Amino acid sequence: MSYAKLELQKLVPGYAKNGHAAEAVELFKILAMKKDMEPDSITLRAAILACAQVGSLDLARWMNDYVTISDCRNHVFVKTTLIDMYAKCGSLELAREVFNRIHDKDVVVWSAMIVGYGLHGCGEEAIDLYYEMRQAEVRPNDVTFLGLLMACKNSGLVKEGWKLFHSMKDYDIEPLHQHYACVVDLLGRVGYLAEAYKFIVRMPIEPGITVWGALLSACKVHHHLQMGEYAAAKLFKIDPYYTGQYVQLSNLYAAARMWDQVDEIRKLMKERGLSKNFGYSLIEINGKPEVFRAGDSSHPRSEEIRKELVDLERKLKEAGFFPDSGSNLHDLSSEDILESLCNHSERLAIAYGLISTPSGSTLRVVKNLRACVNCHSAIKLISQITNRKIIVRDSNRFHHFEDGVCSCGDYW
Ligand code: ZN
Ligand code: ZN
């Protein structure tokens, strides 16, 4: 297939914007291979953003190498996008390397690195960097604070997050809906549900889906059925066709083992023509991305993967792991149970990673949905049994599994 340069320049951002990140990157590669075609900075930036969305670290490295020799290599906004890309592809170290190499850092550069730390739940690193930024006399903006609040909520730094949120007014920054949602998450995480509710009703702007969704999610974790139902009612009022709240409410009922209500929600979703997304996980081995779906047996090494899964399951049992089949069967946000619990897409990807990489190397998996409780517990133990670092990016955040624990502290 041959494309003219102008066509490609337009297609890359077009594909990227419409959720076809992998295709955008593929088209960009065609453009990059043509010797007489230097992509403009807008196309380049779109390609880097698409790369971040795909989440593959090998691809990110390729993109970085490409930028180093391109005419746009000194554009600060291109470099800033590289920080974001590396963070989203799971490597804060490489993100920090790019960050360190930028002279004259403006607020966008500082914020990109702070957001990166936020995404990975590195609260202290984010706050340290923020103080460094202030020492360099750079004024924070709303993105800086969003990164800080994300970092605090993802690492449970309630006091620090609360203080930072209130310091926004010192810089005349009006908190946006996302900032409020972070605070609700922050309070909800540690079980301050009444405080979170009080905070919501006092908000100067109308609370929307993410704010009520954060409260509902906290209610699920802390088994607060009544407040959870209240938050869900608010969500249904705002958007009866948004799938998220059905999943969340169903999880709340599942945690309380109220299976009739769970089935009720399933029926309602069906009636309204809503369906949950299909889950898939991506792992990259030697530069080749492999995508697995739940129960997938189409992979050429499927037989070896199955053996590894059986072996892992036996080791998990020996280590005292028993999956909670009840809640999992009713967990609408996770994938369908096709054969058994150990067949969720991230488990297939991890099993494939284990048999395809040298022992001790880190596994990086990107998943399109949030991980289910069982897989999360299983991966913690797998990291310990196999002595591997396993980094999973789900739809919400990063999980760094190591030595039997996860960086999210089991709150996601
Ligand atoms: Zn699962
Ligand atoms: Zn986790």
Side-chain angles (χ1 to χ4, degrees):
M1 216 188 302
S2 81
Y3 291 100
K5 178 183 174 179
L6 274 177
E7 226 181 318
L8 282 168
Q9 300 259 46
K10 265 194 252 158
L11 281 173
V12 173
Y15 270 95
K17 251 189 234 148
N18 290 299
H20 298 284
E23 290 87 342
V25 176
E26 282 314 306
L27 285 171
F28 182 78
K29 278 184 168 172
I30 301 175
L31 186 62
M33 269 187 314
K34 303 202 173 197
K35 285 205 173 64
D36 55 334
M37 285 193 184
E38 175 77 22
D40 60 26
S41 58
I42 294 172
T43 310
L44 184 59
R45 188 166 176 267
I48 303 172
L49 287 172
C51 207
Q53 229 177 308
V54 173
S56 144
L57 190 56
D58 282 321
L59 205 56
R61 284 199 182 100
W62 175 85
M63 190 57 87
N64 188 38
D65 290 347
Y66 180 82
V67 171
T68 327
I69 52 160
S70 92
D71 285 350
C72 308
R73 61 182 174 276
N74 292 322
H75 286 218
V76 174
F77 80 93
V78 169
K79 288 194 217 166
T80 311
T81 320
L82 286 177
I83 298 176
D84 176 63
M85 173 191 76
Y86 270 138
K88 288 198 177 126
C89 293
S91 178
L92 282 175
E93 293 80 10
L94 292 173
R96 187 67 199 235
E97 267 179 35
V98 177
F99 173 82
N100 288 345
R101 279 201 303 268
I102 303 176
H103 303 289
D104 292 331
K105 299 177 184 73
D106 63 5
V107 63
V108 183
V109 176
W110 287 97
S111 302
M113 196 61 230
I114 291 173
V115 169
Y117 282 130
L119 212 55
H120 287 262
C122 301
E124 276 157 29
E125 287 85 344
I127 293 172
D128 284 350
L129 198 64
Y130 172 64
Y131 286 123
E132 237 181 86
M133 168 182 154
R134 284 199 11 209
Q135 232 155 31
E137 294 185 355
V138 176
R139 201 181 160 84
N141 66 12
D142 57 327
V143 181
T144 322
F145 280 103
L146 190 60
L148 286 166
L149 291 174
M150 266 164 54
C152 290
K153 86 169 165 84
N154 283 343
S155 52
L157 297 173
V158 181
K159 258 194 224 151
E160 291 81 350
W162 188 249
K163 224 171 94 190
L164 283 163
F165 174 76
H166 286 285
S167 74
M168 287 176 77
K169 61 177 179 307
D170 302 341
Y171 299 96
D172 293 324
I173 303 168
E174 278 303 325
L176 303 171
H177 196 260
Q178 285 163 293
H179 297 98
Y180 287 107
C182 275
V183 175
V184 173
D185 233 337
L186 188 73
L187 296 170
R189 182 188 168 111
V190 287
Y192 294 166
L193 294 176
E195 286 79 359
Y197 177 74
K198 246 188 259 163
F199 178 78
I200 295 174
V201 292
R202 285 187 193 150
M203 271 171 62
I205 53 174
E206 192 67 36
I209 284 185
T210 32
V211 166
W212 288 117
L215 184 67
L216 176 51
S217 174
C219 291
K220 185 217 134 189
V221 173
H222 298 287
H223 306 291
H224 202 306
L225 202 60
Q226 210 182 356
M227 198 184 284
E229 283 176 325
Y230 180 78
K234 290 280 185 189
L235 285 163
F236 285 125
K237 222 172 162 187
I238 298 171
D239 184 359
Y241 292 98
Y242 177 67
T243 319
Q245 65 238 21
Y246 292 88
V247 170
Q248 297 254 44
L249 185 61
S250 137
N251 286 340
L252 178 73
Y253 286 135
R257 300 187 121 46
M258 294 163 68
W259 309 127
D260 289 349
Q261 280 80 350
V262 173
D263 289 337
E264 205 55 46
I265 291 175
R266 219 176 259 255
K267 241 190 263 158
L268 202 61
M269 277 181 86
K270 229 182 183 171
E271 275 167 26
R272 295 189 173 170
L274 300 168
S275 63
K276 65 202 177 78
N277 289 330
F278 279 105
Y280 67 81
S281 294
L282 178 148
I283 188 166
E284 200 168 47
I285 310 288
N286 300 325
K288 201 171 165 258
E290 303 275 355
V291 176
F292 292 91
R293 293 186 183 279
D296 203 343
S297 59
S298 63
H299 195 275
R301 293 182 69 186
S302 166
E303 194 49 37
E304 287 167 81
I305 295 170
R306 202 190 55 81
K307 265 197 197 130
E308 180 66 22
L309 282 172
V310 172
D311 196 38
L312 275 177
E313 209 173 4
R314 180 180 53 78
K315 284 181 186 156
L316 284 173
K317 271 198 191 121
E318 278 167 14
F321 176 74
F322 290 101
D324 179 1
S325 59
S327 72
N328 222 68
L329 279 164
H330 289 82
D331 190 344
L332 277 175
S333 63
S334 63
E335 295 130 296
D336 282 320
I337 315 286
L338 292 181
E339 282 178 46
S340 75
L341 287 171
C342 72
N343 259 343
H344 278 177
S345 62
E346 63 268 53
R347 302 250 210 139
L348 297 178
I350 288 169
Y352 177 63
L354 287 172
I355 59 170
S356 317
T357 54
S359 65
S361 53
T362 302
L363 299 181
R364 294 166 197 278
V365 174
V366 177
K367 182 172 183 178
N368 67 329
L369 303 175
R370 101 185 156 84
C372 77
V373 176
N374 274 318
C375 286
H376 193 271
S377 314
I379 301 169
K380 282 200 290 185
L381 219 48
I382 292 171
S383 75
Q384 192 174 35
I385 295 167
T386 60
N387 207 9
R388 297 266 200 147
K389 237 192 210 175
I390 304 173
I391 302 174
V392 179
R393 180 180 106 181
D394 73 6
S395 54
N396 210 9
R397 57 164 294 151
F398 274 91
H399 301 263
H400 291 246
F401 297 93
E402 198 178 2
D403 281 336
V405 286
C406 181
S407 62
C408 75
D410 298 335
Y411 190 98
W412 74 97

